[in-house]
Amino acid sequence: YKKQLDEKILIEKGLYTPSIKSLLVSYDQQQLEWSKNDLIDGELSAEKLNQKNGVIVVSKHFTNGIDTQNVNFKLGDKILFQTPNGEKELTVMAILRQVPINSKEIALTTFITTEELFTDLLGEASFKAVDIKIKHKNDEKVVRQIKDMIDETITFLDKRQKNDEINKTFLTFAVFIYGFVLAIALVSILNIINTMNTSIVAKTRYLGVMRATGMTCKQINKMVIVESMTYATSGSVVGCILGTMLQKLLIVKGFSDLNLIWEFPLGQIILVIVTCILVTRLSVILPLKKIKSKEISEALTT
């Protein structure tokens, strides 16, 4: 913040008063529910915000369509608001990644509180906004009805086109990423099949000796399956550990500007382990069948 504004930071009595004002808006419970997709930390509850004089801060603030990273607020930080009734102290209880609010004037950040606290801070506001979500895409009939209900004193903003562009961009990115992951998965599966097939074929003479000394085909099956499951389990565990560490590093460090939240990928880990074990188990069926179809003498001379 200091580098961007090139101003001298003055802190008096442990408090910093910025030279640029911030935006303060109020949300009702429905708007708080919609904002949960962008929640970085904390809890979005109108009841708890009212009880504890809570405020929500936004990590990225939009000014004339340009998003900038804000002050690194943390839960529990205290913020003093200058109101017509004097100073009011509010506590940071949640942090959002971003909100659909674009300021034409330069602002330090955006604060969100409940309608009750907003009225308590500033009194009854003359400016009010209504957010409407349409369930069905491109529902022109509903949009026309809304437009017919308002007059020139109300500003109507239609964000469907912008949201549609965002969704298409996300879809394109998702297709690329998941396509890349699918290609890696196919290569891994083929590698497992080839490795197990090569490993069993290379043991043809050894398995022939085992059969010659009295080992039954059922015992050979168990021995090969145990060996293959050992490979699959150890490989899956090592791969999942390294993959999880890499994923966390990329999200926390590589994409820190996006304020993404890393969660332990338990579902993906279970899917990877189960897939590896299943593919490994199936990959030994055909080579084992070929070896058992050979006579012992033929297997010993292979």
Side-chain angles (χ1 to χ4, degrees), residues 125-262:
S126 59
F127 172 80
K128 293 183 179 181
V130 178
D131 292 334
I132 300 175
K133 275 192 174 183
I134 301 175
K135 291 184 178 180
H136 304 288
K137 295 181 179 179
N138 301 323
D139 198 335
E140 296 294 339
K141 181 179 179 181
V142 176
V143 175
R144 286 196 300 268
Q145 289 178 342
I146 295 174
K147 289 182 177 179
D148 293 339
M149 294 170 58
I150 63 177
D151 54 28
E152 64 277 359
T153 61
I154 299 176
T155 302
F156 178 80
L157 301 176
D158 188 351
K159 295 187 177 181
R160 291 177 300 156
Q161 181 178 355
K162 181 180 179 181
N163 292 337
D164 187 55
E165 292 175 355
I166 294 174
N167 291 335
K168 288 180 179 179
T169 302
F170 174 79
L171 180 61
T172 303
F173 186 73
V175 169
F176 172 76
I177 294 297
Y178 286 111
F180 182 68
V181 171
L182 180 61
I184 294 177
L186 291 175
V187 171
S188 301
I189 291 173
L190 292 175
N191 185 53
I192 291 173
I193 295 174
N194 181 65
T195 301
M196 295 310 305
N197 183 72
T198 304
S199 176
I200 294 174
V201 171
K203 292 183 175 67
T204 300
R205 178 177 293 183
Y206 170 75
L207 295 176
V209 173
M210 294 293 101
R211 291 173 62 190
T213 56
M215 181 176 281
T216 64
C217 292
K218 188 176 182 180
Q219 290 174 325
I220 291 177
N221 287 343
K222 289 183 178 180
M223 183 182 70
V224 173
I225 290 174
V226 169
E227 181 183 357
S228 64
M229 291 300 100
T230 302
Y231 292 153
T233 304
S234 58
S236 299
V237 171
V238 174
C240 288
I241 291 174
L242 296 177
T244 302
M245 292 172 60
L246 178 61
Q247 183 195 63
K248 185 176 181 179
L249 181 64
L250 287 174
I251 292 178
V252 176
K253 301 294 184 181
F255 301 103
S256 58
D257 292 342
L258 300 178
N259 295 306
L260 299 177
I261 302 173
W262 181 81

Side-chain angles (χ1 to χ4, degrees), residues 3 8 13 26 39 63 67 92 103 132 134 184 186 280:
K3 290 180 181 179
K8 187 177 181 180
K13 297 181 181 179
S26 64
L39 181 63
T63 301
D67 62 317
V92 176
S103 172
I132 300 175
I134 301 175
I184 294 177
L186 291 175
T280 304

Side-chain angles (χ1 to χ4, degrees), residues 50-62:
N50 290 332
Q51 290 177 352
K52 300 181 180 180
N53 283 338
V55 68
I56 304 167
V57 296
V58 182
S59 178
K60 283 192 175 181
H61 176 77
F62 289 92

Side-chain angles (χ1 to χ4, degrees), residues 23-89:
L23 296 179
L24 177 64
V25 298
S26 64
Y27 269 17
D28 58 21
Q29 186 58 47
Q30 182 60 63
Q31 290 171 309
L32 293 175
E33 289 293 329
W34 289 341
S35 301
K36 286 184 177 180
N37 291 332
D38 289 309
L39 181 63
I40 297 176
D41 200 0
E43 185 178 357
L44 298 177
S45 170
E47 181 180 355
K48 292 184 177 180
L49 287 169
N50 290 332
Q51 290 177 352
K52 300 181 180 180
N53 283 338
V55 68
I56 304 167
V57 296
V58 182
S59 178
K60 283 192 175 181
H61 176 77
F62 289 92
T63 301
N64 289 333
I66 301 175
D67 62 317
T68 56
Q69 193 76 20
N70 291 331
V71 179
N72 187 23
F73 288 101
K74 296 180 177 60
L75 297 183
D77 286 349
K78 304 295 183 180
I79 301 174
L80 291 179
F81 289 86
Q82 299 292 342
T83 72
N85 299 323
E87 289 186 347
K88 298 287 185 179
E89 182 182 89

Side-chain angles (χ1 to χ4, degrees), residues 1-2 7-19:
Y1 176 71
K2 182 178 179 181
E7 70 170 72
K8 187 177 181 180
I9 303 298
L10 296 177
I11 300 179
E12 296 180 1
K13 297 181 181 179
L15 297 176
Y16 165 63
T17 303
S19 59

